[in-house]
């Protein structure tokens, strides 16, 4: 185990915020995780488990041990006529795993192509895009209990998945390190192409037979056209979650803003936060080194030398103005540190 001191985390978070970790280590095995936890316990330091750093906002230097998860491995565990079960190490890069699944003709995660980050973080907020969430293909995960140092298994029910939520962000926050995730993928695909933009692209390429590869290609093209590439402009994807409001509140707002988009769900009407933020006048606004993205106002950006504190303060101003204008409270999706 190699523990480094006073390491800049700039290259380890997609916002590109330049803050330091007091201690930093890369964990490639469960033993590395245990040794690192014991080092932190001896020094009485908090720990941060880091994947690809694509859903965090660093607002300060971390007086902590940062443990970068690089537990690798992709293993087919079993299969039957319909499904294949594959256990994937938490430190595998999510998009690389999606590409491996597609190469093997394993279906179910093609709509989740090009989401940044690691496999281990994917259950944390039940990642989702273009009509699919990982809970639909999730079998179980193995996680190290940070207190007992035992490996425990969690099935989908135990994970309490919701929209960008799981038990690991709530009751069990900071108590487990996810070591591997087992997915149940289909041998015969069921294509999910309801999302308008996917349909448009597939329609354009009508001569091509629809496949999990063609859906993945369509998703990649849409994402590249809408979302800033963190290698060029720092960001963490959607900064806020899309809020759900009651039918009554929706009708009240619609009487004043007839164009308000809304999607019925079991809990009410889901409103695109991007629309609320654009209506509140923030789209494309730049404030020195940080700002609101010009194509996707749900994405806050760092143009280079921005500070996490500034991004946080901008996010609070956006929340306040959306609350004042529409009476809707936006909740951050990004984890503040
Ligand atoms: P990190 O940012 O490193 O960590 C996130 C949180 O999980 C932290 O609290 C961390 O401590 C914890 N954590 C990480 N790994 C572990 C582990 N092994 N065990 C325990 N805790 C852990 N998300 C979506 O859902 N859908 C999208 O379409 C989407 N698009 C995005 C587009 C862009 C351009 C960007 C930058 C982000 C996007 N995201 C999206 C958000 C992000 O990619 C996901 O949340 C991703 O799963 C984060 O993975 P990570 O490894 O980078 O996590
Ligand atoms: N919109 C505007 N103005 C804009 C852009 C969008 O008003 O400039 C409105 C439009 O009504 C549009 C709607 O927002 O139809 C939805 O926009 P988009 O399809 O870009 O998706 P989103 O709701 O902003 C969500 C997820 C993304 C995910 C996409 C695709 C959340 C918080 N975000 O974004 O996830 O990739 O759908 O499924 O649920 C992430 O979580 O980091 C993330 C990027």
């Amino acid at each position: 185990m190699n523990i480094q001191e006073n390491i800049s985390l700039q290259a380890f978070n997609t916002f590109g915020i330049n803050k330091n970790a007091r201690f930093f280590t890369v964990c490639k095995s469960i033993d590395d995780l245990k040794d690192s936890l014991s080092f932190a316990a001896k020094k009485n330091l908090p720990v941060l488990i880091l994947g690809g750093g694509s859903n965090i906002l660093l607002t300060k230097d971390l007086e902590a041990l940062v443990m970068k998860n690089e537990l690798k491995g992709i293993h087919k565990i079993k299969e039957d006529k319909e499904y294949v079960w594959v256990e994937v190490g938490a430190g595998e890069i999510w998009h690389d795993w999606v590409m491996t699944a597609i190469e093997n003709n394993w279906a179910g995660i093609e709509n989740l192509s090009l989401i940044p980050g690691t496999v281990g973080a994917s259950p944390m907020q039940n990642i989702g895009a273009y009509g699919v969430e990982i809970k639909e293909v999730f079998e179980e995960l193995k996680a190290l209990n940070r207190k007992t140092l035992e490996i425990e298994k969690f099935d989908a029910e135990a994970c309490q998945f919701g929209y960008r939520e799981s038990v690991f962000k709530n009751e069990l926050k900071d108590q487990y390190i996810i070591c591997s995730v087992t997915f149940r993928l289909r041998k015969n695909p069921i294509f999910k192409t309801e999302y308008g933009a996917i349909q448009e692209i597939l329609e354009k390429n009508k001569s091509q037979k629809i496949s999990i590869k063609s859906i993945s290609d369509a998703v990649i093209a849409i994402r590249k056209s809408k979302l800033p590439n963190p290698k060029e402009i720092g960001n963490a994807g959607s900064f806020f979650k899309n809020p759900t409001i009651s039918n009554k509140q929706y009708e009240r707002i619609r009487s004043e803003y007839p164009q308000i988009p809304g999607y019925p769900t079991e809990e009410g009407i889901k409103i695109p936060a991007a629309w609320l933020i654009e209506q509140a006048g923030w789209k494309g606004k730049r404030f020195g080194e940080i700002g609101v993205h010009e194509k996707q106002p749900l994405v806050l950006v760092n143009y280079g030398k921005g500070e996490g504190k500034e991004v946080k303060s901008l996010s609070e101003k956006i929340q306040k103005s959306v609350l004042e204008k529409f009476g809707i409270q936006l909740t951050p999706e990004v984890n503040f540190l």
Side-chain angles (χ1 to χ4, degrees):
M1 188 185 51
N2 174 22
I3 296 198
Q4 297 168 274
E5 275 196 75
N6 298 320
I7 292 293
S8 165
L9 294 173
Q10 192 164 27
F12 299 110
N13 72 100
T14 59
F15 251 121
I17 305 283
N18 192 12
K19 286 288 171 228
N20 288 342
R22 178 75 178 86
F23 294 100
F24 179 89
T25 188
V26 172
C27 297
K28 293 184 185 286
S29 66
I30 289 172
D31 282 344
D32 283 353
L33 295 176
K34 289 182 181 170
D35 291 348
S36 306
L37 288 175
S38 135
F39 172 89
K42 275 190 205 127
K43 291 217 173 309
N44 211 6
L45 281 171
V47 304
L48 169 71
I49 314 303
L50 186 66
S54 63
N55 211 18
I56 57 169
L57 179 69
L58 290 166
T59 60
K60 54 180 187 300
D61 289 330
L62 300 183
E63 190 55 34
L65 170 64
V66 173
M67 295 166 54
K68 185 165 185 304
N69 187 321
E70 290 194 4
L71 272 68
K72 301 279 184 185
I74 299 181
H75 305 288
K76 183 159 89 179
I77 298 178
K78 61 173 184 177
E79 61 187 307
D80 63 15
K81 268 198 201 141
E82 257 180 279
Y83 295 104
V84 54
W85 283 261
V86 187
E87 182 175 6
V88 185
E92 292 285 347
I93 301 300
W94 174 263
H95 180 68
D96 293 351
W97 153 234
V98 174
M99 292 297 109
T100 301
I102 291 172
E103 274 160 30
N104 283 283
N105 234 347
W106 299 332
I109 49 175
E110 54 282 359
N111 293 48
L112 303 177
S113 297
L114 213 63
I115 296 182
T118 54
V119 167
S122 66
M124 291 296 295
Q125 67 159 17
N126 176 29
I127 57 168
Y130 302 99
V132 174
E133 290 181 331
I134 67 145
K135 71 173 187 193
E136 293 156 48
V137 291
F138 179 93
E139 179 72 18
E140 67 171 19
L141 63 77
K142 290 182 188 152
L144 180 69
N145 182 318
R146 281 167 53 171
K147 251 196 214 133
T148 64
L149 300 186
E150 297 288 335
I151 296 286
E152 294 177 26
K153 287 184 182 178
F154 290 77
D155 63 13
E157 200 187 334
C159 289
Q160 296 178 21
F161 290 126
Y163 163 61
R164 300 294 191 271
E165 285 297 344
S166 77
V167 73
F168 302 103
K169 273 180 86 176
N170 294 293
E171 286 102 289
L172 299 183
K173 191 171 162 52
D174 295 333
Q175 293 185 40
Y176 287 87
I177 303 175
I178 296 170
C179 299
S180 72
V181 183
T182 300
F183 298 91
R184 184 189 57 252
L185 299 180
R186 284 185 178 272
K187 292 177 163 177
N188 297 308
I190 295 180
F191 301 125
K192 295 228 172 152
T193 58
E194 304 84 56
Y195 215 91
I198 298 184
Q199 271 174 10
E200 275 168 36
I201 294 189
L202 295 177
E203 185 65 22
K204 253 193 233 153
N205 305 334
K206 251 202 306 243
S207 54
Q208 255 180 26
K209 216 177 137 226
I210 179 166
S211 65
I212 55 175
K213 174 78 169 60
S214 69
I215 293 180
S216 166
D217 287 345
V219 167
I220 290 172
I222 299 164
R223 296 184 68 98
K224 281 189 173 162
S225 73
K226 281 191 181 178
L227 291 164
N229 178 350
K231 286 192 181 126
E232 288 155 16
I233 305 177
N235 76 91
S238 301
F239 197 89
F240 301 102
K241 296 202 249 178
N242 287 327
T244 296
I245 60 175
S246 68
N247 289 22
K248 213 167 136 196
Q249 188 179 9
Y250 179 68
E251 288 312 327
R252 205 168 51 234
I253 300 174
R254 205 154 75 111
S255 63
E256 203 179 333
Y257 301 92
Q259 282 88 11
I260 185 173
Y263 306 94
T265 68
E266 275 166 27
E267 292 83 32
I269 310 280
K270 198 182 240 190
I271 313 289
W275 186 87
L276 298 168
I277 298 169
E278 179 169 358
Q279 295 302 309
W282 294 99
K283 185 169 175 172
K285 287 271 156 66
R286 181 170 177 160
F287 307 91
E289 288 292 307
I290 61 155
V292 180
H293 193 246
E294 58 188 6
K295 286 196 206 145
Q296 206 346 326
L298 192 46
V299 179
L300 304 190
V301 296
N302 171 20
Y303 290 103
K305 296 202 175 73
E307 291 285 346
K309 265 198 289 197
E310 297 173 299
V311 176
K312 181 166 182 261
S313 147
L314 172 60
S315 77
E316 287 162 355
K317 287 184 188 140
I318 293 172
Q319 279 176 310
K320 188 163 177 279
S321 75
V322 167
L323 185 62
E324 277 167 11
K325 195 171 170 71
F326 297 105
I328 298 177
Q329 179 68 50
L330 292 179
T331 310
E333 174 187 306
V334 171
N335 301 282
F336 291 74
L337 293 169

